[in-house]
Amino acid sequence: MSDSAEITMYGADWCRDCRRSKALLDAEGIDYRYVDVEVSKEAADEAMAVSGRPNIPVIVFPDGSHLVEPSDEALRTKLAVV
């Protein structure tokens, strides 16, 4: 999966929630690795292994925790403690 020192976001360009979360991370100046689940089955399998469900985005944090389809408020709250 990802290096333990970075945030990884699994998503897809067609996903509205993914675009919203990506825009929030960009606006906040957060460094993260973006993994497009449409590019490979392995990427989609990684996201599914993390979250246990097919929903995206899946955002994995350096502490090993993750959020699935987070609201902007939930994502901002998590970023404040990362």
Side-chain angles (χ1 to χ4, degrees), residues 9-82:
M9 178 180 157
Y10 294 91
D13 291 342
W14 53 261
C15 170
R16 184 179 63 190
D17 289 332
C18 298
R19 290 192 309 264
R20 181 180 44 75
S21 291
K22 195 171 190 282
L24 188 148
L25 291 169
D26 290 342
E28 296 289 329
I30 304 295
D31 289 329
Y32 63 97
R33 182 174 72 106
Y34 180 76
V35 180
D36 189 334
V37 299
E38 292 291 300
V39 171
S40 72
K41 180 171 178 357
E42 291 78 22
D45 289 346
E46 284 180 25
M48 178 74 149
V50 169
S51 69
R53 50 192 223 195
N55 308 64
I56 53 175
V58 176
I59 304 171
V60 183
F61 298 93
D63 65 2
S65 66
H66 69 276
L67 294 174
V68 180
E69 294 182 317
S71 66
D72 286 352
E73 180 182 351
L75 183 51
R76 280 192 184 97
T77 298
K78 180 61 180 174
L79 291 171
V81 297
V82 172

